[in-house]
């Protein structure tokens, strides 16, 4: 960030701390890691995320009262914007399950994980991860798309969960539009998959 804005890291660091204290920015590290060079900063408040994503580019149109035209320009990008928010909603759902005593894994925390897949040597990520203990964890994938989630998404989540050495694993697939028959059949066959 400091390089991008042409500022020293010490000055930039102070600004980031202030923004974090105000609740506007949050610092994320991959699940299970304390401090990491892989840390990222994200806008914490969804209103600000929406504003800075869509309003400046449409400000002239909006200020002239052409709200329908502004919406027409914004609407095609809403699904992409909603993807991250949907992940947060899915995490809230899992917390509610836990607090109601209905969670298949009694996790103590949830988060995203990202890192390198050592077999394929590519960067990969898991939308939701939570650990009960060193043997038991849950993994989740969230899809905010107009298509039904297919078997390939479930197979990818299974593969990514094997990057870790947990013995007991429960998988969650969250979908805006439902699931294909193949995905439902495989989830029923496995028995450790929840489709939401």
């Amino acid at each position: 960030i400091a390089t991008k804005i042409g500022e020293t890291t010490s000055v930039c660091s102070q600004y980031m701390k202030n923004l974090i204290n105000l609740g506007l920015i949050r610092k994320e590290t991959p699940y299970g890691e304390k401090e990491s060079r892989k840390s990222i900063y994200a806008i914490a408040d969804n209103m600000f995320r929406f504003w800075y994503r869509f309003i400046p580019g449409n400000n002239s149109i909006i200020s002239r009262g052409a709200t329908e035209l502004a919406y027409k320009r914004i609407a095609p990008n809403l699904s992409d914007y909603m993807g991250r928010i949907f992940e947060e909603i899915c995490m809230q759902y899992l917390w509610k399950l836990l607090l109601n005593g209905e969670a298949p894994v009694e996790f103590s925390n949830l988060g995203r994980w990202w890192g390198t897949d050592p077999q394929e040597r590519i960067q990969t990520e898991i939308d939701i991860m939570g650990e009960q203990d060193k043997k038991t964890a849950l993994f989740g994938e969230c899809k905010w798309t107009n298509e039904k989630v297919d078997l390939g998404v479930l197979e990818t989540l299974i593969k990514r969960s094997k990057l870790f050495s947990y013995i007991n694993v429960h998988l969650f697939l969250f979908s805006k539009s439902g699931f294909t028959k193949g995905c439902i059949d495989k989830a029923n066959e496995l028995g450790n998959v929840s489709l939401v």
Side-chain angles (χ1 to χ4, degrees), residues 91-132:
M91 284 189 201
Q92 292 170 6
Y93 173 86
L94 290 171
W95 278 110
K96 186 167 175 62
L97 280 183
L98 179 73
L99 297 176
N100 290 341
E102 301 168 358
V105 173
E106 294 181 356
F107 55 87
S108 56
N109 201 2
L110 290 174
R112 292 189 311 143
W113 178 88
W114 59 93
T116 303
D117 180 335
Q119 294 174 344
E120 295 188 21
R121 299 176 189 215
I122 59 169
Q123 285 293 309
T124 189
E125 82 172 62
I126 297 171
D127 292 340
I128 301 175
M129 183 176 172
E131 181 183 81
Q132 178 173 316

Side-chain angles (χ1 to χ4, degrees), residues 3 39 47 54 57 59 71 75 83 85 93 106 117 121 146 152 155 159-160 177 179-181 194:
T3 303
S39 294
M47 188 278 299
F54 298 115
N59 201 19
Y71 179 75
I85 294 171
Y93 173 86
E106 294 181 356
D117 180 335
R121 299 176 189 215
N146 292 328
E155 289 171 340
K159 183 177 166 196
R160 289 179 182 168
S177 303
F179 305 91
T180 63
K181 183 177 182 333
S194 296

Side-chain angles (χ1 to χ4, degrees), residues 166-185:
Y166 298 107
I167 297 166
N168 305 313
V169 172
H170 193 89
L171 307 173
F172 279 87
L173 287 184
F174 296 93
S175 172
K176 170 189 170 191
S177 303
F179 305 91
T180 63
K181 183 177 182 333
C183 184
I184 293 169
D185 291 345

Side-chain angles (χ1 to χ4, degrees), residues 129-144:
M129 183 176 172
E131 181 183 81
Q132 178 173 316
D133 52 42
K134 296 299 178 196
K135 295 179 181 179
T136 307
L138 71 80
F139 297 90
E141 183 71 23
C142 310
K143 294 294 182 190
W144 182 266

Side-chain angles (χ1 to χ4, degrees), residues 18 28 35 37 39 49 51 55 57 69 86 90 94 113-114 118 128 130 132 137 143 149-150 152-153 170 184 191:
N18 290 339
E28 292 183 43
E35 282 297 314
R37 292 189 58 80
S39 294
R49 286 183 70 238
W51 180 273
I55 302 307
L69 178 58
F86 187 57
C90 296
L94 290 171
W113 178 88
W114 59 93
I128 301 175
Q132 178 173 316
K143 294 294 182 190
V149 170
D150 64 11
V153 174
H170 193 89
I184 293 169

Side-chain angles (χ1 to χ4, degrees), residues 59-101:
N59 201 19
S60 296
I61 295 168
I62 294 168
S63 66
R64 285 169 177 74
T67 55
E68 292 296 322
L69 178 58
Y71 179 75
K72 187 176 166 184
R73 293 178 64 178
I74 292 169
N77 300 302
L78 278 177
S79 280
D80 181 48
Y81 166 79
M82 281 300 297
R84 185 73 185 107
I85 294 171
F86 187 57
E87 289 177 19
E88 292 173 18
I89 293 168
C90 296
M91 284 189 201
Q92 292 170 6
Y93 173 86
L94 290 171
W95 278 110
K96 186 167 175 62
L97 280 183
L98 179 73
L99 297 176
N100 290 341

